[in-house]
């Protein structure tokens, strides 16, 4: 029989525990041990006060009075418009006070003798105020930079690309010290060779 069971394919075999009969377990509802017992809670009266509340009302002051007294005693800073509190750090060293201060800037480096600058100053613009042109100061703050024109072309003329390439190729490359020494040594060897070829000939010696 064991051999016959081994020959049966796995998907045809019965599941493990199939055919066993089990007794049905009936459901039993849970029972509340306190069922049927009623408890009554008596609410506390609104007029009753604890001893702690009574002591706090006698010793401590109301919050409204403390706030009013703090507002009356605190001084207002005329620079940052904030109350000056008595802390370990002085109020003048606080970040809010430092930001509200009017910082002084060094004078602008623009040439005061320029006619354009004098015209702008006559219209009310201050170069030392670190503000641009315009009603709200959103315009230019510095004059246009001048670029030197090193060619002989007319204003607005452009050089074609093939001419620019030729000019770039024709420019000699500057030599460094090592290359200069090598070039001088080559020239010296060439001169010595020429002198040997010219003055070493017999006919030249006879002529001289």
């Amino acid at each position: 029989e064991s051999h016959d069971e081994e020959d049966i394919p796995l998907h045809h075999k019965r599941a493990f525990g199939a055919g066993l009969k089990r007794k049905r377990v009936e459901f039993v509802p849970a029972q509340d041990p306190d069922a049927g017992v009623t408890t009554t809670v008596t609410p506390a009266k609104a007029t009753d006060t604890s001893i702690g509340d009574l002591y706090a009302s006698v010793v401590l002051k109301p919050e409204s009075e403390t706030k009013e007294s703090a507002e009356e005693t605190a001084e207002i800073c005329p620079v940052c418009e904030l109350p000056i509190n008595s802390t370990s750090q002085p109020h003048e060293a606080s970040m809010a006070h430092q930001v509200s201060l009017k910082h002084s800037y060094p004078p602008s480096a623009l040439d005061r003798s320029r006619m354009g600058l004098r015209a702008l100053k006559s219209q009310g613009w201050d170069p030392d105020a670190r503000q641009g042109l315009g009603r709200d100061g959103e315009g230019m703050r510095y004059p246009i930079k001048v670029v030197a024109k090193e060619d002989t072309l007319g204003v607005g003329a452009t050089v074609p690309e093939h001419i620019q390439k030729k000019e770039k190729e024709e420019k000699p490359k500057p030599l460094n010290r090592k290359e200069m020494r090598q070039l001088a040594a080559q020239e010296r060897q060439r001169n010595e060779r020429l002198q040997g070829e010219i003055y070493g000939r017999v006919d030249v010696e006879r002529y001289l």
Side-chain angles (χ1 to χ4, degrees):
E1 294 179 358
S2 61
H3 293 289
D4 296 339
E5 291 180 357
E6 292 178 357
D7 296 338
I8 298 173
L10 183 62
H11 59 278
H12 288 299
K13 289 184 178 181
R14 299 178 65 184
F16 179 77
L20 298 177
K21 294 182 180 180
R22 300 182 181 86
K23 293 182 180 181
R24 184 177 180 182
V25 179
E26 296 181 358
F27 176 74
V28 179
Q31 295 180 357
D32 189 2
D34 297 334
V37 180
T38 58
T39 56
T40 57
V41 179
T42 57
K45 295 181 180 180
T47 57
D48 295 343
T49 56
S50 62
I51 298 174
D53 296 338
L54 180 61
Y55 179 77
S57 63
V58 173
V59 176
L60 300 177
K61 294 182 179 180
E63 295 182 359
S64 60
E65 294 181 2
T66 55
K67 289 182 179 179
E68 290 177 359
S69 61
E71 291 177 357
E72 291 176 358
T73 56
E75 298 180 3
I76 303 300
C77 178
V79 178
C80 59
E81 298 180 356
L82 293 175
I84 301 174
N85 299 323
S86 58
T87 57
S88 59
Q89 183 182 10
H91 177 75
E92 289 77 8
S94 62
M95 184 63 69
H97 187 85
Q98 292 293 326
V99 171
S100 301
L101 288 174
K102 292 183 179 180
H103 297 278
S104 60
Y105 297 98
S108 178
L110 298 177
D111 188 5
R112 309 291 170 152
S113 62
R114 291 184 175 182
M115 184 176 63
L117 183 60
R118 285 183 291 176
L120 292 173
K121 288 179 67 177
S122 64
Q123 297 294 328
W125 182 69
D126 186 9
D128 299 331
R130 295 298 190 274
Q131 291 183 355
L133 301 176
R135 182 177 180 181
D136 299 329
E138 73 281 1
M140 295 178 59
R141 294 174 56 184
Y142 304 101
I144 300 173
K145 293 183 179 180
V146 180
V147 180
K149 188 174 182 299
E150 299 178 354
D151 53 16
T152 57
L153 299 175
V155 178
T158 56
V159 182
E161 294 182 359
H162 63 279
I163 298 177
Q164 290 181 358
K165 291 180 180 178
K166 288 182 180 179
E167 290 179 355
K168 290 180 180 178
E169 292 175 357
E170 291 175 358
K171 288 183 179 179
K173 183 180 178 182
L175 302 177
N176 53 20
R177 292 183 179 179
K178 185 177 180 180
E179 293 176 349
M180 292 289 289
R181 292 196 202 97
Q182 292 177 357
L183 184 62
Q186 291 176 2
E187 289 290 336
R188 195 181 306 109
Q189 291 176 1
R190 180 170 172 272
N191 293 334
E192 291 176 357
R193 187 176 66 254
L194 290 174
Q195 288 180 2
E197 291 178 357
I198 294 173
Y199 295 104
R201 295 175 60 179
V202 179
D203 53 352
V204 174
E205 290 181 357
R206 289 177 181 176
Y207 177 77
L208 295 175

